[in-house]
Amino acid sequence: METTTDIKKATLPVTGMSCAACAVSVESMLSHTKGIASAAVNYANQSVSVSYDPDLVDLPDMDLVLQSIGYGLIIEENEEDAIAEQEKIQQEHYQNLKNKAVYTGILTAPVVALGMFFMDWSYANYIMLALTIPVLFIFGRDFFVNAWKQAQHRKANMDTLVALSTGVAFLFSTFNTFFPALWHARGLHPHVYFEAAAVIIFFILLGKLMEERAKSNTSDALKKLIGLQPKTVRVHRDGTEMEIPAREVRLGDEVVIRSGEKIPVDGKVSSGNSFVDESLMTGEPIPAEKKPGDSVFAGTLNQTGSFTFTAEKVGKQTVLAQIIKTVQAAQGSKAPVQRLADRVAGIFVPVVIGIAILTFIVWMLLGAENAITHAMLTAVSVLVIACPCALGLATPTAMMVGVGKGAENNILIRDAESLEKAYKVDAVILDKTGTLTEGRPDVTDWKWIASLENPSVHFAAIKALEARSEHPLAQAIIQYIENDTKIDVSDFQSFTGSGIRGIARGREYIIGTLKFLEKEQVHIAAELQPAYEVLTAQAKTVIGIAIDGQHAGLIAIADQLKPTSREAVEKLHAQGIEVHMLTGDNAQTAAAVALQTGIDSYQAEVKPDDKMQFVKKLQAQGKTVAMVGDGINDSQALAQADVSVAMGKGSDIAMDVAKMTLITSDLLALPKALKLSRKTVVTIRQNLFWAFIYNVIGIPVAAGVLYPINGFLLDPMIAGGAMALSSVSVVMNSLRLKGARL
């Protein structure tokens, strides 16, 4: 929480939001509350940021304001506790929603069977009434409660429409069940619409369940980012080493880090040496060597050795905290486009009510002897045919089929927003490590001098020596050598960041950088000089081998290009999409990878924030940008991009922030994802069209506009059938996606 003069700012989780209209209601209620200067709802993260005067209003007051319309705030001092509480509430809500959908389905099935096939049975209406009551007033109770709370504040959302249509259908059917003689006396059959009311509740609950399931992990990325910081840390204070909570670290504290521990804050190494996994920041798979004077960052992982560093940035000033803040802001800036039905509900509901009332009045004034009958039937028909069921199903059903189709092709899709934007993409940004390359160091070349007798006998000795090394590249050499012969090693020495020395099978081996070998009076063999120049030109890390003081060979290690990366880039180019590569690696390596893949535009040695700024630069040029990455260092750029795509074997954070994930490491899935997005969003738009067209055509017909022309008056039963048909057409249209070719 920050203070600016007399105004305080706070960001708090919100409970109970299930649609974009809910977010608008929360924002509107808080904005009009005395003492609150501004309120901005972040629907993606289910949170609200408020600026307020603490002398006029406090956080519990805001919670009471939101409770009056069915929402609430989670007020916790600790951010982790707030997120944990929000997650607990979301899980409980999801399970409760699932139970309601199941029980509603069980009760609705016999109601539909009776209404469709046994409507003339004398006890059918009473049984349907008994089964519909718990559906509406137990499992569907929230629709009516929330609609009432919204009405008290002159607001309307999807709950209003559901409660109104099902409530009127239920009351009209109940009246007809107990007073059928009123209609018989007029020569009319007293229809009931219990099945329509029950089916509406079931379908809407099912739609909400699917939506909740899709967004149930919206806070995971932030939770995991926050979880990268350790809970406790050891510091030197007043000559004593003590363990304190990580959030209590102060500027200037001397922090002690041991092997395998995470670094809690940003700072500079004051003593000791180690290797630190900084893939969080750079995306590079090889840990960075740390010595006195080098910078370290919160959330990174110490691998070997121990060291002490001086805290320079703590709390919300660390690089990790800035990444968290940026991800929150970028996610929240995006409007969920698939919530069209909720956005129009505020207009649609009063319009439908107005049409129903107007229809009743017109028939009462202009109708003949059966005016009241016609007035009642037409008003009910308008409300029944205006059921929002198809609107509620339009996006979820297309999403379910689209997601299934994507899964068949190794594409995981998280929401409709990315689907709507992906087919518009005209610029793709690719991370290098783990996206274009394998993401791990491997031995690519091994050169021996020609005069060396039986080189194979030396492999076991080298493997035994490297097994004792702490250098990250040692594992690549160990995995490359298949010889598992056990060799005794003596006089072993390790020189941090340079190389190793030892005796095996009676011979002395020196393995390390060529600078290290020269320091040991070992010079590169003339016959291997051309190979060395070629390997370094390919941006590979070259290690020298000396046996008994003589140069004997070279080992080249590199993060290799994936076999399909070049083909994927070519396919993107063929679609008219420009391709850029951003990497935290050095310029020589970046140039080599760009040349091999056919990428013209690339930048090297970029930091996480640089990637995000590059995305913004392209967006400022009017580009629709897709960012493809696999590391935590990509999370800011992923959150900022119009379409974010994570590689499936990458970090959990990247996958949580991204709206699409390629389950395979094969980049060829990316062009398929763009094509799938086009087909899916077209289906969603078709569904919304059919959902609305039934209302555009059906409501006037239900109101009786054809009666003066041809005497046709829509029966409420037919209106219920039309409502059901609109839902069926939406579902059937969605199912067509299953046969789509990618």
Side-chain angles (χ1 to χ4, degrees), residues 546-592:
I547 303 175
D548 293 332
Q550 297 296 317
H551 186 228
L554 297 173
I555 305 171
I557 298 177
D559 181 12
Q560 296 193 78
L561 199 68
K562 293 177 181 177
T564 58
S565 292
R566 184 176 182 86
E567 184 182 353
V569 172
E570 289 174 349
K571 287 195 172 186
L572 291 172
H573 281 155
Q575 294 180 16
I577 298 173
E578 58 184 54
V579 182
H580 306 266
M581 181 184 73
L582 303 181
T583 177
D585 212 338
N586 60 70
Q588 187 181 21
T589 301

Side-chain angles (χ1 to χ4, degrees), residues 351-578:
V351 167
V352 170
I353 295 173
I355 292 174
I357 294 173
L358 181 62
T359 298
F360 185 87
I361 294 173
V362 169
W363 277 105
M364 286 296 293
L365 294 176
L366 303 179
E369 54 186 283
N370 290 325
I372 188 170
T373 301
H374 288 167
M376 178 64 73
L377 290 176
T378 52
V380 171
S381 293
V382 167
L383 291 171
V384 171
I385 205 169
C387 164
C389 187
L391 288 175
L393 289 172
T395 296
T397 53
M399 278 297 299
M400 285 187 70
V401 179
V403 166
K405 185 69 177 179
E408 294 174 7
N409 291 273
N410 298 313
I411 305 162
L412 178 64
I413 302 166
R414 293 186 61 188
D415 66 8
E417 180 182 0
S418 59
L419 286 176
E420 188 188 44
K421 290 182 178 179
Y423 78 94
K424 301 177 184 177
V425 166
D426 50 12
V428 169
I429 300 173
L430 302 174
D431 175 48
K432 176 184 74 70
T433 306
T435 302
L436 289 165
T437 66
E438 296 289 357
R440 66 176 186 277
D442 289 314
V443 173
T444 61
D445 303 87
W446 197 304
K447 307 288 186 181
W448 294 107
I449 60 173
S451 59
L452 188 67
E453 297 180 5
N454 194 12
S456 61
V457 302
H458 300 288
F459 282 121
I462 292 173
K463 186 173 185 177
L465 287 161
E466 291 291 353
R468 294 193 174 198
S469 173
E470 296 178 344
H471 197 283
L473 296 182
Q475 194 60 36
I477 297 174
I478 293 170
Q479 292 179 346
Y480 178 81
I481 299 173
E482 296 179 355
N483 193 325
D484 292 326
T485 305
K486 301 298 181 182
I487 302 293
D488 292 329
V489 175
S490 61
D491 297 334
F492 178 82
Q493 290 179 284
S494 177
F495 302 88
T496 303
S498 299
I500 58 175
R501 179 209 300 272
I503 296 176
R505 287 179 170 171
R507 307 188 72 168
E508 182 190 51
Y509 291 84
I510 301 175
I511 307 170
T513 65
L514 294 190
K515 286 185 179 180
F516 174 63
L517 265 62
E518 287 180 0
K519 185 178 178 182
E520 297 296 317
Q521 305 303 312
V522 177
H523 302 288
I524 185 171
E527 65 181 277
L528 292 179
Q529 184 69 40
Y532 169 74
E533 292 175 358
V534 170
L535 294 172
T536 53
Q538 294 173 348
K540 296 179 180 179
T541 301
V542 182
I543 297 171
I545 305 169
I547 303 175
D548 293 332
Q550 297 296 317
H551 186 228
L554 297 173
I555 305 171
I557 298 177
D559 181 12
Q560 296 193 78
L561 199 68
K562 293 177 181 177
T564 58
S565 292
R566 184 176 182 86
E567 184 182 353
V569 172
E570 289 174 349
K571 287 195 172 186
L572 291 172
H573 281 155
Q575 294 180 16
I577 298 173
E578 58 184 54

Side-chain angles (χ1 to χ4, degrees), residues 78-288:
N78 186 279
E79 189 174 10
E80 285 187 66
D81 294 339
I83 290 178
E85 179 65 20
Q86 184 182 30
E87 182 183 18
K88 178 183 176 183
I89 291 173
Q90 287 176 338
Q91 289 177 343
E92 290 175 350
H93 175 63
Y94 176 79
Q95 189 59 46
N96 185 37
L97 198 57
K98 184 177 180 180
N99 292 337
K100 287 180 179 179
V102 170
Y103 293 133
T104 299
I106 293 173
L107 292 173
T108 299
V111 174
V112 172
L114 288 169
M116 295 290 289
F117 306 108
F118 304 99
M119 70 287 289
D120 295 327
W121 184 33
S122 57
Y123 297 105
N125 287 359
Y126 296 99
I127 295 175
M128 286 191 289
L129 172 63
L131 293 174
T132 304
I133 287 174
V135 170
L136 265 65
F137 304 115
I138 296 180
F139 304 119
R141 178 176 178 272
D142 289 343
F143 293 115
F144 295 91
V145 172
N146 293 336
W148 173 245
K149 288 181 178 180
Q150 293 283 329
Q152 287 178 307
H153 295 274
R154 296 182 180 180
K155 296 180 181 296
N157 62 6
M158 196 69 116
D159 291 338
T160 307
L161 205 52
V162 173
L164 187 62
S165 58
T166 57
V168 169
F170 176 80
L171 291 175
F172 184 68
S173 300
T174 302
F175 178 85
N176 288 354
T177 297
F178 290 105
F179 305 103
L182 181 67
W183 302 103
H184 288 147
R186 290 168 172 76
L188 297 172
H189 181 71
H191 291 293
V192 296
Y193 306 99
F194 292 119
E195 75 280 6
V199 167
I200 290 170
I201 295 295
F202 173 67
F203 277 168
I204 298 300
L205 284 175
L206 189 62
K208 283 183 173 288
L209 181 66
M210 290 187 287
E211 290 185 14
E212 284 296 319
R213 184 175 181 180
K215 69 172 189 175
S216 61
N217 296 322
T218 53
S219 65
D220 277 2
L222 296 174
K223 181 181 67 176
K224 290 176 182 176
L225 281 170
I226 293 171
L228 288 172
Q229 293 178 308
K231 302 289 185 184
T232 61
V233 62
R234 285 180 297 277
V235 298
H236 284 303
R237 285 183 183 173
D238 303 323
T240 304
E241 182 177 309
M242 62 180 69
E243 188 170 297
I244 63 172
R247 61 177 176 268
E248 294 181 9
V249 176
R250 302 194 298 256
L251 292 177
D253 273 343
E254 288 295 314
V255 183
V256 180
I257 300 295
R258 296 174 183 168
S259 178
E261 292 183 341
K262 289 180 180 178
I263 296 169
V265 295
D266 296 356
K268 282 190 176 178
V269 177
S270 53
S271 63
N273 293 272
S274 185
F275 285 92
V276 176
D277 180 357
E278 290 189 334
S279 57
L280 161 69
M281 300 297 164
T282 66
E284 297 308 310
I286 302 174

Side-chain angles (χ1 to χ4, degrees), residues 585-634:
D585 212 338
N586 60 70
Q588 187 181 21
T589 301
V593 172
L595 180 64
Q596 294 175 56
T597 55
I599 296 175
D600 297 324
S601 171
Y602 67 90
Q603 290 186 19
E605 299 178 358
V606 295
K607 296 178 180 178
D609 186 63
D610 296 330
K611 292 185 178 183
M612 182 187 69
Q613 294 303 326
F614 190 79
V615 173
K616 287 184 176 180
K617 177 183 175 182
L618 291 179
Q619 289 172 330
Q621 297 172 6
K623 302 286 186 183
T624 300
V625 183
M627 172 69 196
V628 186
D630 76 322
I632 297 171
N633 64 304
D634 301 316

